[in-house]
C-alpha cells in the first residue's frame, strides 16, 4: 500500500499552520531503516576535512657527466639488475646493488653525458684504505667488532653474498679497470662495483687486455673469508658463484638479446666488432654446449684462477703509482710496498 506523510507548511501571509497530506513513492517493506532519534547525536565539532598529504622530498647525491658516454653503464646496470631478479627467483642469497644512470645529450652539439646516482652509505676501497691503512679483515674487525661476534659475522656474510654476485656479473660482462677506486664497501659490509666504462672486450690502455682474470679476487678478499681455499666460508663463496652462475645460465636467451639489440649503436665495444665476436664470446661464456655439471666445473676453475691473480695484483700496483689509488699488498702484508713510488 502507499505510504503517506504529513507535510507541515507555514503560511507567510497569516502565520497560520496548514496541514496537508501528500503521497510519496512506495518503499518496499524492510528496504529502508531509519535510525532511532535516541541514536542521533549532534556533533559539536566541525565536519572532518581531508588534509592534503605533505609533499616529501628526497635529496639524492648525483654525478653529472659531460663528454662521457655512459650508455655502457646503463646497459651494464640493466643486466646486473636482471641478475639480481634471477638470484631472487632462484632463492639464492646473492645480492647486487644497481644504481640509477640516465644517459643524456646536451647542448647544440648534442654532447654525450648523463646523470649517475651516487651509491649511498658506501666508500671506495681506495678511500677506506687511505683512511685506516688496514686490510679488509682488520677494517671489518674495527667497524663490526670481533670476529666471533654477531655484527662481524653478519657483515662478513653480506660481503660474501655480494662478492659472489658481482663475481658472476664481472665474468659474464668481462668488466675491467677494477682498481680500488671502482670497488666500494657499504656500511653493512656489502661490496659494490661502479664505473662500467670497460667491458665486453674493451679495456684500458687502448684495449691492452692486461687484466686477464674473470673478476677481481685479491688476497685480502680471501683473507676475509678464512684466508685459505680450505676454509668453510671460502668454499661457501665458491658454491654461491657456481649456483648463481647456473641460475643466470638458464636465462641465456633473456640476457644476450639485451646486448645484441645495441649492435647498431656506436657503443665502444661494438665499434671494432666486425665479425659479431662480442655476441659470440658473450654467449660462449655461458657454456651453452655443456651439461650443467660440466658448466659448474668450469665455473669452479674460473673462481680458482681469479684468486690472487698475478696481473690483478700488478694492475693495483700500477694504479697506485700512476693514479695514487690505494691497494693492500698480499706479500708483505703492508700496503703499497711492492713498488716504491
Amino acid at each position: 500500500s502507499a505510504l503517506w506523510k504529513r507535510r507541515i507548511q507555514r503560511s507567510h501571509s497569516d502565520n497560520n499552520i496548514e496541514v496537508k497530506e501528500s503521497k510519496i513513492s512506495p518503499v518496499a517493506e524492510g528496504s529502508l531503516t531509519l535510525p532511532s532519534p535516541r541514536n542521533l547525536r549532534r556533533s559539536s565539532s566541525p565536519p572532518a576535512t581531508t588534509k592534503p598529504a605533505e609533499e616529501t622530498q628526497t635529496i639524492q647525491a648525483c654525478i653529472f657527466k659531460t663528454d662521457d658516454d655512459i650508455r655502457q653503464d646503463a646497459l651494464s646496470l640493466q643486466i646486473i639488475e636482471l641478475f639480481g631478479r634471477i638470484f631472487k627467483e632462484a632463492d639464492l642469497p646473492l645480492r647486487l646493488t644497481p644504481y640509477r644512470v640516465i644517459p643524456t645529450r646536451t647542448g647544440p652539439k648534442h654532447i654525450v653525458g648523463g646523470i649517475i646516482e651516487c651509491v649511498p652509505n658506501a666508500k671506495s676501497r681506495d678511500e677506506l684504505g687511505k683512511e685506516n691503512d688496514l686490510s679488509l679483515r682488520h677494517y671489518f674487525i674495527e667497524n663490526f667488532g670481533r670476529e666471533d661476534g654477531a655484527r662481524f659475522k653478519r657483515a662478513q656474510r653480506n660481503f660474501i653474498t655480494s662478492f659472489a654476485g658481482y663475481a658472476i656479473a664481472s665474468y659474464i660482462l668481462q668488466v675491467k679497470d677494477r682498481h680500488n677506486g671502482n670497488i666500494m664497501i657499504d656500511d653493512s659490509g656489502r661490496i659494490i662495483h661502479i664505473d662500467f666504462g670497460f667491458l665486453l672486450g674493451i679495456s684500458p690502455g687502448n684495449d691492452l687486455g692486461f687484466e686477464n682474470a674473470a673478476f677481481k679476487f685479491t688476497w685480502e678478499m680471501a683473507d676475509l673469508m678464512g684466508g685459505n681455499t680450505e676454509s668453510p666460508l671460502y668454499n661457501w663463496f665458491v658454491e654461491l658463484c657456481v649456483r648463481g652462475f647456473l641460475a643466470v645460465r638458464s636465462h641465456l636467451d633473456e640476457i644476450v638479446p639485451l646486448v645484441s639489440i645495441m649492435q647498431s649503436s656506436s657503443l665502444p665495444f661494438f665499434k671494432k666488432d666486425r665479425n659479431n665476436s662480442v655476441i659470440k664470446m658473450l654467449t660462449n661464456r655461458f657454456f651453452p654446449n655443456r651439461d650443467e655439471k660440466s658448466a659448474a666445473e668450469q665455473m669452479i676453475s674460473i673462481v680458482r684462477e681469479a684468486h690472487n691473480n698475478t696481473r690483478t695484483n700488478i694492475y693495483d700496483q700500477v694504479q697506485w703509482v700512476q693514479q695514487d689509488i690505494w691497494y693492500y699488498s698480499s706479500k708483505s702484508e703492508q700496503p703499497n710496498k711492492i713498488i716504491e713510488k
Side-chain angles (χ1 to χ4, degrees):
S1 61
L3 297 180
W4 297 80
K5 74 172 183 178
R6 287 190 172 183
R7 186 175 58 192
I8 301 176
Q9 295 179 334
R10 182 179 297 276
S11 172
H12 293 283
S13 58
D14 55 8
N15 288 329
N16 293 327
I17 295 177
E18 181 182 9
V19 179
K20 294 184 178 180
E21 290 185 339
S22 62
K23 194 174 183 179
I24 63 172
S25 302
V27 180
E29 184 178 356
S31 65
L32 180 64
T33 303
L34 297 177
S36 167
R38 289 176 297 179
N39 295 331
L40 296 177
R41 183 175 57 185
R42 182 181 296 274
S43 174
S44 59
S45 59
T49 58
T50 304
K51 186 178 180 180
E54 294 183 2
E55 293 184 3
T56 58
Q57 294 183 347
T58 301
I59 298 176
Q60 174 63 57
C62 296
I63 298 172
F64 292 80
K65 289 204 169 188
T66 58
D67 203 19
D68 189 359
D69 192 346
I70 62 171
R71 290 177 298 165
Q72 286 188 170
D73 294 74
L75 174 62
S76 302
L77 290 162
Q78 285 177 353
I79 296 173
I80 287 172
E81 186 175 3
L82 174 59
F83 280 16
R85 293 200 299 268
I86 293 171
F87 296 150
K88 186 175 182 179
E89 290 173 3
D91 198 25
L92 293 173
L94 285 76
R95 294 292 179 267
L96 297 167
T97 308
Y99 50 92
R100 288 170 291 182
V101 170
I102 304 175
T104 62
R105 287 182 179 270
T106 57
K109 295 184 179 180
H110 303 289
I111 299 173
V112 294
I115 306 171
I116 301 176
E117 177 187 12
C118 293
V119 180
N121 306 315
K123 292 183 178 181
S124 71
R125 183 69 189 99
D126 166 59
E127 187 177 358
L128 292 175
K130 288 174 178 175
E131 286 179 356
N132 53 53
D133 225 32
L134 298 173
S135 71
L136 269 178
R137 183 168 66 87
H138 287 99
Y139 166 75
F140 271 56
I141 292 171
E142 184 175 271
N143 283 270
F144 302 110
R146 63 188 198 183
E147 292 182 86
D148 59 351
R151 289 182 64 241
F152 180 93
K153 290 182 180 297
R154 183 165 54 250
Q156 186 183 47
R157 175 186 173 86
N158 288 340
F159 177 84
I160 294 171
T161 54
S162 57
F163 182 26
Y166 278 104
I168 297 164
S170 295
Y171 162 64
I172 294 297
L173 296 176
Q174 290 291 285
V175 182
K176 302 303 178 185
D177 197 27
R178 294 300 88 193
H179 56 68
N180 282 339
N182 287 336
I183 295 176
M184 308 190 79
I185 306 290
D186 73 6
D187 57 8
S188 70
R190 289 191 175 93
I191 191 171
I192 303 162
H193 281 246
I194 62 171
D195 194 346
F196 300 94
F198 296 96
L199 72 158
L200 293 172
I202 61 173
S203 61
N206 196 24
D207 297 338
L208 182 62
F210 187 82
E211 298 167 274
N212 63 349
F215 59 93
K216 184 171 187 175
F217 188 5
T218 62
W219 172 88
E220 67 166 351
M221 293 172 175
D223 183 48
L224 183 56
M225 298 187 292
N228 62 76
T229 59
E230 303 302 322
S231 72
L233 288 177
Y234 183 99
N235 284 288
W236 183 51
F237 166 73
V238 176
E239 178 188 344
L240 288 177
C241 287
V242 172
R243 292 173 63 193
F245 169 70
L246 293 178
V248 298
R249 180 176 180 261
S250 65
H251 291 263
L252 168 66
D253 293 337
E254 298 174 45
I255 297 167
V256 172
L258 288 176
V259 179
S260 61
I261 198 173
M262 302 296 291
Q263 281 183 292
S264 60
S265 71
S266 57
L267 289 175
F269 53 78
F270 278 131
K271 283 184 177 179
K272 301 178 182 179
D273 186 28
R274 302 184 184 279
N275 301 313
N276 199 30
S277 60
V278 169
I279 301 303
K280 290 177 182 177
M281 294 174 68
L282 171 62
T283 303
N284 289 339
R285 283 192 287 276
F286 290 93
F287 308 115
N289 299 322
R290 294 177 179 265
D291 59 25
E292 190 171 89
K293 180 181 178 182
S294 178
E297 291 171 348
Q298 285 292 119
M299 192 61 193
I300 292 173
S301 297
I302 287 168
V303 175
R304 303 287 188 190
E305 291 169 5
H307 177 202
N308 207 23
N309 179 277
T310 299
R311 288 198 182 185
T312 298
N313 295 331
I314 294 175
Y315 192 77
D316 273 348
Q317 298 165 28
V318 171
Q319 291 298 317
W320 174 63
V321 172
Q322 294 183 344
Q323 306 291 337
D324 194 36
I325 297 174
W326 190 96
Y327 80 100
Y328 193 87
S329 166
S330 62
K331 291 186 177 180
S332 63
E333 298 192 18
Q334 295 293 325
N336 309 333
K337 294 297 183 182
I338 294 181
I339 296 179
E340 296 294 337
K341 282 190 175 181

